[in-house]
């Protein structure tokens, strides 16, 4: 018997899938006939439990249990277009990609992902804000959705609108690349030095998968981070209130951006 090569089939990203996320949406609608996100301005994807609890505690927010893996909230203050918030689905590229697939199948028109990341540069401090312009593909998930290549990219138009929202709020931030990896306890000093030398400033777990999945589904997506710990001159991680404050700024900016762009047609 010939041994199968342990790698993706060539051209995997072009092959049709056996499963379809539309099956998930159809199943959900057997129990929740009105399950759709087409009426929303989009979805904010979040990872930190404290931020999810903050979103849940806000007035005019309801929970849509059972629509997606994790927690799905709809925030609709009077006079404002509804925005979905999705979190609690787990960490890492596969979990984020699954959430994006299910949200896309339910009709969300766009996604902004907001989370924390570790710095690869000593110039970045806790709470410094980054709008992501590309994600280095150190993950496994993105390679099932995209042809071979080093980076996955956000929607440039949605990213530009998000940056404009931050500018309008007089919020300091910079544009930079992140390195997405599935193995947070296997980040090496050699990788940190190498990637930092190529302009990558942060490390996270999900962004490459989010960009790859959303691109495959023709769903505009953007991402931003509040800097948490550092992989340079590594010190034991400590809670940084500035990181939490930065996350909240990004979350509010994401809500505003989605509402402001709800009638905008973005090309992917």
């Amino acid at each position: 018997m010939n041994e199968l090569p342990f790698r993706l089939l060539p051209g995997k990203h072009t092959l049709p899938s056996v499963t379809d996320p539309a099956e998930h949406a159809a199943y959900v609608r057997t129990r929740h006939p009105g399950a759709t996100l087409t009426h929303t301005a989009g979805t904010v994807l979040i990872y930190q439990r404290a931020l999810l609890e903050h979103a849940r505690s806000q007035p005019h927010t309801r929970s849509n249990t059972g629509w997606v893996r994790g927690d799905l909230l709809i925030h609709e203050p009077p006079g404002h277009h509804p925005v979905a918030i999705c979190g609690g689905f787990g960490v890492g590229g596969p979990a984020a990609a699954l959430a994006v697939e299910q949200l896309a199948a339910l009709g969300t028109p766009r996604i902004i992902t907001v989370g924390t990341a570790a710095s690869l540069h000593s110039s970045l401090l806790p709470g410094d804000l980054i709008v992501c312009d590309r994600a280095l593909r150190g993950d496994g998930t993105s390679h099932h959705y995209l042809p071979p290549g080093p980076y996955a990219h956000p929607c440039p138009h949605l990213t530009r609108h998000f940056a404009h929202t931050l500018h309008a709020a007089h919020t300091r931030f910079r544009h930079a690349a992140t390195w997405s990896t599935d193995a947070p306890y296997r980040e090496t000093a050699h990788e940190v030095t190498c990637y930092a030398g190529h302009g990558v400033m942060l490390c996270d777990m999900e962004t490459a998968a989010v960009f790859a999945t959303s691109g495959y589904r023709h769903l505009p997506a953007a991402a931003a981070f509040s800097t948490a710990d550092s992989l340079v001159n590594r010190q034991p991680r400590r809670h940084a209130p500035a990181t939490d404050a930065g996350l909240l700024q990004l979350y509010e900016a994401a809500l505003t951006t989605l509402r402001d762009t709800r009638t905008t047609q973005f090309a992917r």
Side-chain angles (χ1 to χ4, degrees):
M1 180 183 295
N2 292 330
E3 184 176 351
L4 288 172
F6 191 70
R7 59 182 177 84
L8 293 179
L9 292 173
K12 161 67 188 287
H13 63 285
T14 66
L15 300 176
S17 300
V18 174
T19 55
D20 189 326
E23 297 172 4
H24 168 79
Y27 172 71
V28 168
R29 288 173 184 138
T30 63
R31 296 176 299 149
H32 307 279
T36 181
L37 298 175
T38 56
H39 65 296
T40 68
T43 301
V44 184
L45 208 62
I46 57 180
Y47 307 93
Q48 280 66 41
R49 175 59 61 177
L51 186 56
L52 179 63
E53 292 309 313
H54 166 79
R56 194 191 308 276
S57 71
Q58 296 306 291
H60 313 293
T61 301
R62 67 180 186 274
S63 178
N64 288 39
T65 304
W67 287 23
V68 299
R69 181 180 178 87
D71 299 296
L72 183 67
L73 311 175
I74 304 294
H75 181 55
E76 189 176 8
H80 292 272
H81 214 69
V83 174
I85 301 104
C86 184
F89 48 81
V91 297
L98 186 148
V100 171
E101 288 277 30
Q102 293 181 349
L103 291 164
L106 288 169
T108 191
R110 53 189 63 83
I111 285 176
I112 297 178
T113 173
V114 170
T116 61
S119 170
L120 306 189
H121 281 260
S122 58
S123 63
L124 282 179
L125 301 176
D128 284 353
L129 304 183
I130 300 291
V131 173
C132 187
D133 59 20
R134 63 195 188 282
L136 187 65
R137 295 165 60 190
D139 69 314
T141 302
S142 67
H143 300 276
H144 295 270
Y145 288 87
L146 295 176
Y151 293 103
H153 297 274
C155 170
H157 311 293
L158 184 58
T159 300
R160 185 168 60 250
H161 278 281
F162 188 47
H164 176 76
T165 300
L166 292 170
H167 275 304
H170 306 289
T171 302
R172 295 183 60 184
F173 71 96
R174 65 178 87 177
H175 291 277
T178 187
W179 161 39
S180 296
T181 175
D182 292 332
Y185 290 113
R186 286 295 298 141
E187 298 155 348
T188 65
H190 178 78
E191 289 171 300
V192 170
T193 301
C194 176
Y195 301 153
H198 285 83
V200 179
M201 296 194 71
L202 294 166
C203 177
D204 81 299
M205 295 182 65
E206 296 90 9
T207 307
V210 171
F211 289 168
T213 310
S214 61
Y216 186 83
R217 298 298 176 189
H218 305 289
L219 182 68
F225 311 101
S226 180
T227 305
D229 51 340
S230 175
L231 298 180
V232 183
N233 302 319
R234 179 71 177 175
Q235 298 293 322
R237 183 170 183 175
R238 300 185 299 273
H239 177 252
T243 300
D244 297 338
L247 268 177
L248 189 56
Q249 286 180 294
L250 294 175
Y251 170 74
E252 295 293 342
L255 293 176
T256 299
T257 301
L258 291 173
R259 290 191 172 108
D260 287 349
T261 61
R262 66 183 181 84
T263 61
T264 305
Q265 296 296 317
F266 295 119
R268 281 292 315 203

